[in-house]
Amino acid sequence: DIQMTQSPSSLSASVGDRVTITCRASQDIRNHLGWYQQKPGKAPKRLIYAASSLQSGVPSRFSGSGSGTEFTLTITSLQPEDFASYYCLQYNGDPWTFGQGTKVGIK
Amino acid sequence: EVQLVESGGGLVQPGGSLRLSCAASGFTFSSYWMYWVRQAPGKGLVWVSRIDIDGSSTTYTDSVRGRFTISRDNAKNTLYLQMNSLRAEDTAVYYCARLGGYDGFDHWGQGALVTVSS
């Protein structure tokens, strides 16, 4: 199975901060990676697909980059509604696997 | 608007069975591969099972293979997960999710909580 190592597992930030979350794949997954946001008690919501494509309706402060084995999700100016957990998902190899998640909390 | 609505969750004893349903609307259900993903309390997301557009191909994660069965009824726009021989470690919120093109899950249901406990 492809292992997805996501870091950090948690972070504290302030409104307006720039936040970066990283996922590393145990093998080359090309650009077959998505990023999801999950708020407590809610279903995940897709933010980014194909490593860098912004899901329709998602604010442009979210961006994704990377290919191969290293990927990044960046939030350029953190907003109050962005405090949530974030997960990466690789869909290059079976079984699809998620990163362990990053909880973004308020500083 | 795409909607996925799970039902059928609840409390079940170890060794028991439960069937989850996921009612789909707002899109042509029969054109999409569908998935079940679960999340244990306070834990991350884990892919459980998937089914192709007509149900002819199914796949399972190792921990549920032989105990869980995914199926679909395209006439009723509904996805199912039959769960047998349930264990405490199957306790989780179960989400149904739609495969969006070739790029992962684009829509998710709100989830159904399954609790396996005596």
Side-chain angles (χ1 to χ4, degrees):
Chain A
D1 297 4
I2 297 174
Q3 306 302 317
M4 300 302 296
T5 303
Q6 188 172 337
S7 61
S9 56
S10 65
L11 64 90
S12 294
S14 301
V15 172
D17 283 354
R18 179 185 182 94
V19 169
T20 299
I21 299 168
T22 298
C23 261
R24 288 189 175 87
S26 60
Q27 60 186 267
D28 185 349
I29 60 170
R30 296 184 284 176
N31 70 333
H32 296 163
L33 183 113
W35 289 98
Y36 294 81
Q37 177 193 66
Q38 187 180 34
K39 296 182 179 179
K42 300 294 187 181
K45 169 189 171 185
R46 188 166 73 175
L47 303 174
I48 301 287
Y49 62 95
S52 60
S53 295
L54 189 67
Q55 177 73 28
S56 175
V58 173
S60 59
R61 62 182 179 272
F62 292 93
S63 66
S65 64
S67 67
T69 61
E70 188 145 343
F71 302 86
T72 300
L73 173 71
T74 301
I75 310 172
T76 52
S77 178
L78 198 66
Q79 297 301 299
E81 60 269 29
D82 301 337
F83 292 99
S85 293
Y86 294 84
Y87 294 88
C88 63
L89 165 70
Q90 72 78 19
Y91 47 90
N92 186 71
D94 271 346
W96 292 3
T97 45
F98 291 89
Q100 306 96 311
T102 296
K103 186 173 183 178
V104 176
I106 302 172
K107 183 183 286 185
Chain B
E1 178 194 2
V2 172
Q3 284 202 314
L4 298 169
V5 180
E6 297 94 339
S7 60
L11 174 64
V12 62
Q13 292 189 338
S17 298
L18 212 56
R19 188 176 84 156
L20 301 181
S21 299
C22 170
S25 61
F27 66 102
T28 305
F29 179 69
S30 59
S31 296
Y32 288 84
W33 289 49
M34 296 295 297
Y35 290 69
W36 289 100
V37 177
R38 69 184 180 184
Q39 186 171 36
K43 302 296 184 182
L45 299 161
V46 177
W47 169 85
V48 173
S49 183
R50 72 167 177 232
I51 188 167
D52 70 353
I53 58 173
D54 62 4
S56 61
S57 174
T58 59
T59 311
Y60 303 90
T61 192
D62 288 348
S63 62
V64 309
R65 189 175 297 116
R67 300 188 298 121
F68 289 13
T69 302
I70 189 172
S71 63
R72 66 192 297 162
D73 186 335
N74 286 342
K76 294 183 177 180
N77 292 334
T78 303
L79 175 73
Y80 302 101
L81 186 67
Q82 177 67 44
M83 302 183 292
N84 298 332
S85 302
L86 282 161
R87 307 166 180 166
E89 55 265 35
D90 296 318
T91 294
V93 175
Y94 286 74
Y95 296 99
C96 63
R98 187 182 85 165
L99 172 61
Y102 300 101
D103 288 312
F105 310 122
D106 64 347
H107 289 277
W108 300 63
Q110 86 288 352
L113 176 62
V114 172
T115 303
V116 184
S117 174
S118 54

